[in-house]
Amino acid sequence: MHILLLELNLNGHHSVYLEKISEAFLQTGCIVTVVVSLKEKDHPALTRLTEQFCESFNVVLLNELDSLKALQSKFGNMGREINAWRVFQKTCKTINANKKVDFVLLPYADYCLNAIGLLGSPFGDIAWSGICMRPTFHFKACGVIAPTHKTLHVKRFLFMRVLHIKTLSQLFSIDELLAGYIQERQPKLANKLTYLPDPADPPLNLDTAGLRQRYNIPQNAKVILIYGAIDDRKGLFNLLDTLESSKGLGDWHALVVGRQSATVREAFSTTRWTNLKQANRIHAMDEFVTDEVEHHVLAMCDVVWVAYAGHYTMSGVLVRAGMYCKPVIACEDGLIGWYARTKGVGVTFEDECQTLVEVIMGFNNVMSALKMGERGSIQFGKNTWINAINSVLLTSKVCLRD
């Protein structure tokens, strides 16, 4: 069976999804072809798969022109999506002409989800599936705080058209509210949309004290983890300014883990947060984070920061925090805020320094923090890769071997 995966960008979760899904298909004996942008040709995920599976794994590189077309347009987001749709259509035709494609999977369908609703499937009569992560047209109806746009009703219409496509085997959503919304509002289409819990590796039983010694973090420190792509959208400056200037938070440390943007790196190089730096209360790891380090930092922190500015969709960091029974600090907006408010997995705050101080101080109540962490574990404990991958593979009538 020949499986085609199309992915343009291997930053962040994109590379993880591509690698995990490709590996699972390959382990069943399938031949897998992945299409990526030319700039991703040396990505470690592709290197690992090539070394492990050799002839069964093929990489097709988009030329620079097609890569640029698929990721941008002077006609806005819809123009960009139509460009991506056309690039995917052309690429699929070319690959299918050389070796028949049996199934197409889009690990990130949002590249052209609205365009598919407008133009139909770009893959002709080939069965396909995809994972969507960005729809927000249902947020207001589901109680999620987020901006409203005049185009939302159009996007809802286009989304329903996608679900009507006959060659669509299954569309997955990492947003459980979207799956519930379709079930309630469009029950006849509900069988085409499946909730795919945003997956992560299960927690490990680690020696927290040993890890803190290894990473030079005091045993009695209370640690807030800021994890992932570290840029100013993470709300990092707000947190560090609060820790720097507020009395009563002297035991609290910031653990900043992940590749930093130029803006963040420049801020760290200045005299900003002098008190925190002199007291060794900022612990920064400006690097690509391995799976091992991810487990380490989640195990040894006390609280996870997910108060991201302008982030309204699902968060893998929120899931990882829950798996490790760690409470979160969140904004009120988006799905992160919805989980914190309705599921009790953390605390939300308004963008005011004093309110944030009170939130952090509240975690000094150990029992309260433990309960939030336990609720996070209950909510996200089953968000494992094996569960997610099996759901995805079943759409192509392939199951993982024991």
Side-chain angles (χ1 to χ4, degrees), residues 114-145:
N114 292 307
I116 292 174
L118 179 66
L119 303 173
S121 170
F123 314 119
D125 59 359
I126 301 173
W128 66 282
S129 179
I131 303 171
C132 65
M133 306 181 185
R134 308 300 293 179
T136 61
F137 59 81
H138 59 296
F139 275 2
K140 184 176 181 180
C142 296
V144 177
I145 301 171

Side-chain angles (χ1 to χ4, degrees), residues 115-379:
I116 292 174
L118 179 66
L119 303 173
S121 170
F123 314 119
D125 59 359
I126 301 173
W128 66 282
S129 179
I131 303 171
C132 65
M133 306 181 185
R134 308 300 293 179
T136 61
F137 59 81
H138 59 296
F139 275 2
K140 184 176 181 180
C142 296
V144 177
I145 301 171
T148 57
H149 303 285
K150 294 179 179 179
T151 60
L152 288 181
H153 69 284
V154 176
K155 291 180 178 179
R156 178 187 181 279
F157 172 75
L158 292 174
F159 189 85
M160 300 307 170
R161 281 177 57 90
V162 172
L163 297 183
H164 275 100
I165 295 174
K166 291 183 179 180
T167 55
L168 173 65
S169 176
Q170 193 73 201
L171 187 65
F172 295 95
S173 170
I174 63 172
D175 175 5
E176 64 177 308
L177 296 182
L178 178 57
Y181 177 91
I182 298 299
Q183 178 68 58
E184 180 182 343
R185 305 294 180 94
Q186 296 287 337
K188 292 182 179 180
L189 297 175
N191 67 321
K192 282 293 191 83
L193 181 69
T194 296
Y195 169 50
L196 186 75
D198 196 3
D201 292 323
L204 302 178
N205 186 15
L206 299 171
D207 175 14
T208 302
L211 287 173
R212 286 202 171 191
Q213 183 177 11
R214 175 177 171 179
Y215 288 93
N216 195 31
I217 297 176
Q219 298 295 335
N220 62 345
K222 299 181 178 70
V223 178
I224 300 175
L225 172 66
I226 306 95
Y227 175 78
I230 308 299
D231 55 35
D232 45 3
R233 295 180 299 109
K234 292 284 191 193
L236 171 67
F237 294 170
N238 186 11
L239 172 62
L240 294 182
D241 288 343
T242 300
L243 295 179
E244 170 80 8
S245 60
S246 302
K247 296 180 180 179
L249 299 180
D251 292 336
W252 286 90
H253 292 224
L255 177 57
V256 185
V257 180
R259 188 62 60 88
Q260 297 173 8
S261 68
T263 303
V264 172
R265 196 172 293 123
E266 181 181 359
F268 270 114
S269 68
T270 66
T271 57
R272 193 171 183 176
W273 312 306
T274 301
N275 294 335
L276 289 177
K277 293 174 182 176
Q278 290 179 345
N280 194 32
R281 290 170 56 204
I282 299 180
H283 312 271
M285 300 169 61
D286 181 11
E287 60 189 48
F288 174 78
V289 181
T290 64
D291 291 343
E292 180 185 31
V293 171
E294 177 181 294
H295 284 291
H296 290 176
V297 298
L298 285 164
M300 65 182 174
C301 74
D302 297 285
V303 180
V304 177
W305 176 268
V306 287
Y308 307 150
H311 184 99
Y312 303 104
T313 51
M314 196 55 194
S315 163
V317 178
L318 175 67
V319 172
R320 289 164 175 79
M323 284 188 159
Y324 267 92
C325 296
K326 306 296 182 178
V328 301
I329 299 176
C331 290
E332 294 187 338
D333 299 350
L335 286 175
I336 296 175
W338 183 86
Y339 275 106
R341 287 184 287 108
T342 65
K343 303 298 182 180
V345 302
V347 180
T348 64
F349 74 98
E350 297 176 358
D351 193 17
E352 298 173 3
C353 184
Q354 183 58 39
T355 307
L356 179 54
V357 172
E358 293 171 354
V359 166
I360 297 173
M361 292 286 287
F363 287 106
N364 289 327
N365 184 329
V366 177
M367 289 305 298
S368 175
L370 284 174
K371 287 181 179 178
M372 283 185 275
E374 289 171 359
R375 288 192 286 265
S377 179
I378 292 170
Q379 180 66 43

